[in-house]
Amino acid sequence: MQIPKGLQPMVPSTADALAAERSKAQFSVADMHRFIVDEDTRTKTAKVEKVLASEPELFNVRREYFMSRKEKLDHALQIGTRLIELMREGKLASDEIVIADNILDINGPYGLHRAMFIPTLQNQATPEQQELFLKPALNYEILGCYAQTEIGHGSNVQGLETTCTYIPETDEFEVHTPNIRACKWWVGSLGITSTHAMVMAQLIVNGKNFGPNPVVVPIRSTKDHTPLSGVTVGDIGPKFGFNTMDNGFLMLDHVRVPRINLMQRYINVSREGKVSRPANVDPKVAYGTMVFVRTQIVRGMSQTLAKATTIALRYTSVRRQFAGKSDKPLAKNVESPVLDYGMVQYRLIPLLAQNYAMFATSQAFALHYEECMREMNNGNFGPLKELHATACGLKRWTSDVAIHGIDTCRHVCGGHGFSQFSGLNEFFGNAYPNIIWEGDNYVLSQQTSRFLVTQVRHLRKGKPVADNQTTQYLRKHLVDGRLAEVPAPAFVGRSIESLAADPEAQLDLLSYRAAVMASELADQMDEHGQSWNRSLVAMQRLCDAHSDYIVASYFRRHLATLPASSPLLPVLNKIAALLFLYVLEQHSSDLFRLPGRAAFTNAQVNRIEELLATIIEEVREQAIPLVDAFGLSDLRLNSALGRSDGKVYEDYLKWAMEDPLNSDDTGKAIRKEWFEKYYKPVMHGAEASKKAAKL
Amino acid sequence: MQIPKGLQPMVPSTADALAAERSKAQFSVADMHRFIVDEDTRTKTAKVEKVLASEPELFNVRREYFMSRKEKLDHALQIGTRLIELMREGKLASDEIVIADNILDINGPYGLHRAMFIPTLQNQATPEQQELFLKPALNYEILGCYAQTEIGHGSNVQGLETTCTYIPETDEFEVHTPNIRACKWWVGSLGITSTHAMVMAQLIVNGKNFGPNPVVVPIRSTKDHTPLSGVTVGDIGPKFGFNTMDNGFLMLDHVRVPRINLMQRYINVSREGKVSRPANVDPKVAYGTMVFVRTQIVRGMSQTLAKATTIALRYTSVRRQFAGKSDKPLAKNVESPVLDYGMVQYRLIPLLAQNYAMFATSQAFALHYEECMREMNNGNFGPLKELHATACGLKRWTSDVAIHGIDTCRHVCGGHGFSQFSGLNEFFGNAYPNIIWEGDNYVLSQQTSRFLVTQVRHLRKGKPVADNQTTQYLRKHLVDGRLAEVPAPAFVGRSIESLAADPEAQLDLLSYRAAVMASELADQMDEHGQSWNRSLVAMQRLCDAHSDYIVASYFRRHLATLPASSPLLPVLNKIAALLFLYVLEQHSSDLFRLPGRAAFTNAQVNRIEELLATIIEEVREQAIPLVDAFGLSDLRLNSALGRSDGKVYEDYLKWAMEDPLNSDDTGKAIRKEWFEKYYKPVMHGAEASKKAAKL
């Protein structure tokens, strides 16, 4: 199938439109890229993209959108197997494979072996166990997964029902699935791939339950991959996304494993059935791992959202619709780019600002995390609680913004956003679980809010609290943990313009909002008897208010690493001011509800909306250079709409023509078959029966 | 593959939990069903489900989640072809086929032939043309589509670039695609199926452009289905949803058709090239069709959302997580249904209330629509503008609530919501375009708001305005189109409790909010020089405020059809009060911003939140009977989580076991192949090379 010859060129061309946007850049895109993306990511991404480019046939994700589930798994296995080979050939490091997965947006069947099986062995196995399991795992001689979630148990890990019972007679554990609800479910890399499962099970010794503990259970033969005796295992079926991953289920029917298979770094079961816990290991270290995974999500969400904003902003700046309706009408009958319309800007530009804040925040937060880890490695676990609370809030904030942001980007692309070739749909499905896993975002907010309310309670009771950025703002804005008229917060009485130009005042206002909400929630719970359950809605809001402050504060911290003369700062300061005003505008109800003189008036909120609209228009002018600075390759975007050369419609049409249904060989055969089977009886059947009736 | 024998039963069982919820019903579910779902839908649905049940093998949509794009199309064609046969056998009427499509959630390739090709012929063809095209179309002897959208033109129909040029020499039209941007795109039933396309093209006669007009172009042979000369046609490829539909593209290279092929009811081109428009046809009738399509979307969205709320509420009432954390802790160690948690209730119960409002509104609005149509058929086009403005607002309101509501339902089901077997994902993709097509929701809001602002302007200038529910509230709350302190609106000074109990007061407040926003927007645009483009954000909000009022008003109108003694009323009144409070709570910023004495205080908004939480808890108790009353069959839900018998986990596991990847025949072969191709080299390759290194 070919594009007919003799078509006229499109005037104005989409490629020229994108080039014109680029020419407006008021800063160096390369410098901005170096500022916004951390060095490690930049270097490794460049290296990996070079490796992928050297085998374009294999690493061709353009075909992905046409594939069935089976073909996707096959393709992911092919790619995953080759990546392991490349590692063995010394061309890629293990963590670079993860970057390759991200670039290709393919979460393949070896993923959880690397992400969960190996780290659990590294953290929870004794040296003897590491020799036994970790070494072959690192060599991919065994393939593992981490089987925690059960079909009936997700958030409540303590409620898991799979059992691991010590059998002193044979010096073994018997791992068992007592009922359907205890069937392991969702476990990545389990459906087809794993030979070994790290099974979280209730450890029972001498009839006593010691809670969930991980135990290694061989489930498939390493010789021929068939399931072992007593093991019922399979793929859980198709999902909204992640269809390149073999999430699996597992039921164990009284399966016996040697005693050595129970991870024994934090707990030990002796030959005689004595259970002990080593004295020299603080279990809070494991807690740190959970925080680490969340910091990784925060970082990943920047890249995730960047893909969507890059596609949507490039496309809306070349897509034209209606002449003379924007505020900048072009020559007669030349339609305006849809990005010139106020509503499109309002949906995309604040999202772009959030995206910049996410990149900056993830870098500044990573530094804070490393600091805390150093403290903890020195035995000071003081920073852990605040770190954990903030990480929960940030995980929620960034994944909520990213996932709903992708949805906004799709919708703003109109009908074409609905095509797989937009690059926004398969990708949306793959990114979606980030709001669910590692703590569902709604559940997670309770962690952050509980911490905040607890600090307020301590302040009220005069109990000591650790010194950190959270308690600092609570101390600043509350008097003995309570709201007071004096001192009035510093932002009171200032114009919106002056607030938008003053980072300190912005942080003052954002932290004041959070402090007020924390204090009011403490009042409700402690003085008006509001139950935990009735407080959950307020907890969501408090968590978000805290995170709004934290994001703004880390954003500013990262900006502060630039010299005051940096040519990047004018646009970055504008973006930070935009984000601040957007938070206020989105939560104007909170501003009206601030106590006493701090409460905002109608006139102030109107002014926020006006100033926000103005700054949105200004940042819109730099939108394409700003997304270019994310540095995402066309391979990664995998999108007709977001192509860096702006040749949107040409590529979109070409891609459609590549659909197997349209091809001259197999496509023709399918269409012929359907004509004979369906269309012909429908069309000729009526005629035939009509003719028959006439005879 | 089989579930292992000897598993214990689950205690407490999910089936028992659902039965216990049902036993709490304080009203007759059957009566509620009759009230909430219109008679036509009920009767036809019952009839169609019976027909579908008689051929369970064919109409088995349970397999759908495993299918590739090609298999989906094949299945849809098989089903679609059989439905046409059933129609020919007299077992189904044509409109019942549409109901079958909805039940099965399969939008098959014959869909646009029925939904667009035939209606366009019915409305825009002359009797002679109807003989030529409509008759064979009704017999399915030709298969059609409606080719309007181009790859570069969606919302702006006037900007279409395909041309239809009269060639007097041969008495033909030449239909032509001048450039890639003019390539027809998204056209349903075009990709594989259609033999004829109703092409919207710029009509050019003697060098003069008469704007876009529809012309019938034969594109594929009815004999063997191959594309005709000059026609480049194909499928546009995979999409986020609607993959059972062959949306297509079409390029025409100077294709000639006879003059009779141009639809001539509203425009005529004579043999000599004279263009005329018949005098006795008012083009506003065509406008009415657009309104009709939107009323159909409003109606459809109720059913669409009902599927999601049924699944989510049933599942969350049997899914248990954590013991002792809800306000109603159960026996020790028995986990609470997640629907007992405040945050789950807050996300689902107002959605259920919105769903009830949608069912009721669509019925009351349909009556209003029919009234207006009667007027218009009598030549009175007075009601058209308000009807159109309200239909735009309701299309936006219902589809926004439904689509984002499905997303909420998926998320609230946690990880399992992400499985295709939840029934919420494929379905989400299929429902999603409703926020885009028939006027993108963001664009549509401008229609409603333009109408409102125009009415305000007329009132200000003393110009006459039509009498309808919109102008009634504008007149009531504004004095000569302007805000005034006197008379204060009736709700001022009343307690939240008394408002929640008084439908009239609720409508007063909701309409006052919309009137204030309309007046303020008129001020901004007319007195402060705010451009159209800068007003777009305010227009979204105004449109939604108007629709909030309209929905509440139609909801009340439908409730008023019940006798005052109806046992359905207590819960329905509670639902209406809940919806009212939810609107206030979601838009509390609007309440703070109301002018003068009408402005809400902190205390009032706090009270709204408290009362809302209380009523949510009350309605939660009736949630399962309330969704049962939607009357959706298990066939339609196609969900493990939403099953009417509550046997969630059993079915979920069984469904996964049915995955072709897990099967003992083909699945085993696939897995063996992958082991040889991928896993073996990975696992044994390392060992082999290590051993080799040792030698």
Side-chain angles (χ1 to χ4, degrees), chain A residues 1 4 7-8 11 65 68 73-74 77-78 81 88 110 139-141 151-152 154-156 177-179 181 185-186 192-193 222-223 225 233-241 249 251 319 321-322 327 335 340-343 346-347 407 410-411 415-416 418 420-421 425 429 432-433 435 440 442 531 533-534 537 540-541 585 588-589 592-593 602 605-606 609 614 617 649 652-653 659 661-662 674-675 677-679 682-684 686 690, chain B residues 1 4 7-8 11 65 68 73-74 77-78 81 88 110 139-141 151-152 154-156 177-179 181 185-186 192-193 222-223 225 233-241 249 251 319 321-322 327 335 340-343 346-347 407 410-411 415-416 418 420-421 425 429 432-433 435 440 442 531 533-534 537 540-541 585 588-589 592-593 602 606 609 614 617 649 652-653 659 661-662 674-675 677-679 682-684 686 690:
Chain A
M1 187 174 280
L7 291 178
Q8 297 160 14
V11 181
Y65 299 137
S68 69
L73 272 169
D74 195 324
L77 276 167
Q78 199 186 351
T81 304
R88 285 176 179 165
Y110 301 112
N139 283 331
Y140 290 86
E141 289 163 33
I151 199 169
S155 302
N156 182 13
T177 305
N179 59 50
R181 205 167 45 202
W185 201 267
W186 278 116
I192 312 280
T193 307
T222 54
K223 295 290 162 222
H225 222 229
V233 62
D235 187 279
I236 63 163
K239 296 144 292 186
F240 186 50
F249 64 83
M251 283 180 288
R319 170 74 171 183
Q321 210 75 170
F322 293 108
D327 283 345
E335 295 182 306
D340 279 352
Y341 292 106
M343 202 57 216
Y346 179 76
R347 291 152 79 195
D407 192 49
R410 168 175 47 216
H411 188 181
H416 295 332
F418 194 70
Q420 287 290 14
F421 307 144
N425 296 319
Y432 195 88
I435 60 175
D440 181 275
Y442 284 95
S531 70
N533 203 24
R534 266 280 181 118
V537 176
Q540 312 295 314
R541 293 176 184 161
E585 190 250 15
S588 58
S589 185
F592 286 118
R593 298 172 94 165
N602 247 341
V605 172
N606 288 338
E609 291 174 354
T614 302
E617 285 170 8
Y649 299 130
Y652 193 17
L653 177 58
D659 191 313
L661 287 172
N662 294 328
W674 287 348
F675 176 69
K677 265 164 66 183
Y678 306 121
Y679 299 125
V682 162
M683 290 199 289
H684 299 189
K690 206 175 53 183
Chain B
M1 188 175 278
L7 291 179
Q8 298 160 13
V11 181
Y65 299 138
S68 68
L73 272 169
D74 194 327
L77 276 167
Q78 198 186 354
T81 304
R88 286 178 177 162
Y110 301 112
N139 282 332
Y140 290 84
E141 290 162 33
I151 198 169
S155 301
N156 181 13
T177 306
N179 60 50
R181 206 169 44 205
W185 201 267
W186 278 117
I192 312 281
T193 307
T222 53
K223 295 291 160 221
H225 222 231
V233 62
D235 188 278
I236 64 162
K239 295 143 293 185
F240 186 52
F249 62 84
M251 283 179 288
R319 169 76 172 182
Q321 210 74 170
F322 295 108
D327 283 347
E335 295 183 305
D340 278 353
Y341 292 105
M343 201 56 217
Y346 179 76
R347 291 152 80 195
D407 192 49
R410 166 176 47 215
H411 189 181
H416 295 331
F418 194 69
Q420 287 291 14
F421 307 144
N425 295 318
Y432 195 87
I435 59 175
D440 180 274
Y442 284 95
S531 69
N533 202 25
R534 266 279 181 117
V537 176
Q540 312 295 316
R541 293 177 184 159
E585 190 250 15
S588 59
S589 186
F592 285 119
R593 297 172 94 166
N602 248 340
N606 288 337
E609 292 174 353
T614 303
E617 285 169 7
Y649 299 130
Y652 194 16
L653 176 58
D659 191 314
L661 287 172
N662 294 329
W674 288 347
F675 176 69
K677 264 164 67 183
Y678 306 121
Y679 300 125
V682 162
M683 291 199 288
H684 298 188
K690 207 176 52 186

Side-chain angles (χ1 to χ4, degrees), chain A residues 28 66 89 102 135 148 177 227 244 285 320 347 441 453 499 513 552 566 591 600 619 631 650 666 682:
Chain A
S28 152
F66 300 122
E89 292 167 12
N102 284 341
K135 218 167 149 183
Q148 177 171 304
T177 305
T244 47
V285 174
R320 291 164 188 277
R347 291 152 79 195
N441 280 4
V453 169
L499 294 178
R513 167 176 164 240
S566 165
L591 304 181
F600 275 53
V619 173
E650 296 89 327
T666 48
V682 162

Side-chain angles (χ1 to χ4, degrees), chain A residues 459-578:
Chain A
L459 291 172
R460 288 182 178 185
K461 289 179 189 157
K463 281 192 191 173
V465 298
D467 181 44
N468 51 51
Q469 58 184 351
T470 303
T471 55
Q472 278 162 18
Y473 81 67
L474 292 175
R475 278 181 195 282
K476 178 181 173 192
H477 296 304
L478 304 177
V479 176
D480 297 332
R482 289 178 192 280
L483 287 171
E485 279 287 305
V486 184
F491 66 84
V492 169
R494 293 184 54 177
S495 73
I496 303 302
E497 285 75 3
S498 84
L499 294 178
D502 179 352
E504 275 314 307
Q506 293 169 18
L507 296 178
D508 188 57
L509 171 48
L510 293 176
S511 61
Y512 183 71
R513 167 176 164 240
V516 167
M517 289 165 77
S519 168
E520 285 177 349
L521 182 54
D523 289 350
Q524 282 300 319
M525 297 180 77
D526 298 344
E527 287 159 29
H528 301 99
Q530 184 170 283
S531 70
W532 179 266
N533 203 24
R534 266 280 181 118
S535 306
L536 291 173
V537 176
M539 285 187 197
Q540 312 295 314
R541 293 176 184 161
L542 171 56
C543 176
D544 289 340
H546 174 71
S547 302
D548 284 337
Y549 163 71
I550 292 288
V551 168
S553 123
Y554 281 118
F555 192 2
R556 288 296 177 182
R557 224 179 269 190
H558 192 58
L559 291 194
T561 63
L562 284 172
S565 62
S566 165
L568 300 179
L569 273 176
V571 70
L572 286 168
N573 278 327
K574 211 166 263 181
I575 288 171
L578 193 161

Side-chain angles (χ1 to χ4, degrees), chain B residues 305-493:
Chain B
L305 180 57
K307 181 163 162 174
T309 50
T310 301
I311 292 170
L313 282 161
R314 284 187 183 159
Y315 173 66
T316 55
S317 67
V318 305
R319 169 76 172 182
R320 292 165 187 276
Q321 210 74 170
F322 295 108
K325 293 219 173 172
S326 86
D327 283 347
K328 293 191 260 178
L330 305 168
K332 193 171 171 293
N333 289 333
V334 176
E335 295 183 305
S336 297
V338 294
L339 187 54
D340 278 353
Y341 292 105
M343 201 56 217
V344 174
Q345 290 177 13
Y346 179 76
R347 291 152 80 195
L348 286 181
I349 303 298
L351 194 59
L352 176 63
Q354 288 172 318
N355 208 163
Y356 261 75
M358 279 158 69
F359 271 103
T361 296
S362 68
Q363 290 193 58
F365 185 62
L367 290 179
H368 178 59
Y369 171 80
E370 283 160 24
E371 258 170 51
C372 294
M373 283 300 119
R374 274 194 295 276
E375 291 278 315
M376 282 190 258
N377 289 336
N378 292 332
N380 172 17
F381 289 94
L384 186 59
K385 281 189 178 170
E386 199 256 355
L387 182 72
H388 174 246
T390 294
C392 288
L394 281 180
K395 184 269 182 183
R396 171 178 153 98
W397 193 96
T398 54
S399 58
D400 266 0
V401 169
I403 301 307
H404 299 128
I406 299 170
D407 192 49
T408 298
C409 288
R410 166 176 47 215
H411 189 181
V412 91
C413 292
H416 295 331
F418 194 69
S419 164
Q420 287 291 14
F421 307 144
S422 71
L424 293 169
N425 295 318
E426 190 107 359
F427 166 64
F428 178 67
N430 292 341
Y432 195 87
N434 281 287
I435 59 175
I436 301 173
W437 62 28
E438 295 303 323
D440 180 274
N441 280 4
Y442 284 95
V443 178
L444 223 45
S445 68
Q446 299 176 37
Q447 309 282 343
T448 308
S449 293
R450 185 206 308 264
F451 172 76
L452 284 160
V453 169
T454 303
Q455 304 312 302
V456 169
R457 285 171 178 159
H458 286 350
L459 291 172
R460 288 181 178 185
K461 291 181 186 155
K463 282 192 191 172
V465 298
D467 181 47
N468 51 51
Q469 58 183 352
T470 304
T471 55
Q472 277 162 18
Y473 80 67
L474 292 175
R475 279 180 195 281
K476 178 180 173 191
H477 297 303
L478 304 178
V479 177
D480 297 333
R482 289 177 192 281
L483 288 171
E485 279 287 306
V486 184
F491 66 83
V492 169

Side-chain angles (χ1 to χ4, degrees), chain A residues 1-15:
Chain A
M1 187 174 280
Q2 284 188 328
I3 297 176
K5 293 197 172 71
L7 291 178
Q8 297 160 14
M10 286 176 276
V11 181
S13 98
T14 51

